[in-house]
Amino acid sequence: MDRKGDRSAPEAQEFLKPGTTSTNGAWNDEILAEFSHGFENLADIEPAVSIFGSARIEPGHPYYETTREIARRLATAGFAIISGGGPGIMEAANRGGAEGGAESVGLNIDLPREQTANPYQTRELFFRHFFARKVMFVKYATAYVVLPGGFGTLDELVEALTLQQTGKSRRFPTILVGSPFWEGLIDWFRETLLGFGTISAEDLELFMVCDDPEEVVREILDFYRREHGGELPGGEAREF
């Protein structure tokens, strides 16, 4: 799924109509190809941190610059950076990763609008299917750093929390940056989800809020060292 192949494909609209048996085979082949594409091209990328946030936040915005600094610090500490490959926060993440001398990966998605590949990626992958792309974010992540964003950002955040809550993935730092933005959602988690009993109190420990780039990086480094017997980033890749 190289850039040329993806750009010549139709717009990636997953579910225009109910599936039919006649299209299942081609769809399955395309999905399997995307998984193979990701696994083959990211096999050497660990350790890495996945960074999420809005495509609509412009350079110079405080959240853009905070993202850039976090990514640069993580890159300098030995982590590759993974973003969605587009503009806004994704661009800031790739930009900071490249400035820090790390692999700066973009998992680009074919969308009708907003998704234009940013120029700071040192490794570009292209996907048509969100679910294949999302596997790549979590499979190679030592941590998630989540900046303010829209439905896509919330989707990535809640999926990560669900996978950890249900034991389908390992526990890893999930750090929300931009406390004024996240405050209302966290209050809703506490007052409504916990109040109705649809989550448990310990589920609120699956994430943390941190606005200081230095502290974000320290939390991720401390986690990595605990997981790897005090070693700094590097070493053999894991499966999940």
Side-chain angles (χ1 to χ4, degrees), residues 32-72:
L32 288 172
E34 290 205 346
F35 279 117
S36 295
H37 169 62
F39 296 156
E40 290 169 5
N41 284 279
L42 297 174
D44 64 338
I45 205 66
E46 298 175 85
V49 175
S50 293
I51 300 180
F52 305 93
S54 175
R56 305 184 187 190
I57 292 178
E58 300 288 338
H61 189 285
Y63 288 143
Y64 182 103
E65 299 306 328
T66 295
T67 304
R68 183 178 171 187
E69 182 179 355
I70 290 171
R72 181 182 56 78

Side-chain angles (χ1 to χ4, degrees), residues 8 13 18 36 42-43 51 53 62 64 79 88 95 98 100 105 108 111 126 136 141 153 177 192 198 212-213 235 237:
S8 66
Q13 296 175 301
S36 295
L42 297 174
I51 300 180
Y64 182 103
F79 294 97
R95 186 173 180 179
V105 180
N108 298 268
L111 295 176
F126 290 86
M136 306 308 152
T153 301
V177 180
T192 303
T198 55
D212 178 28

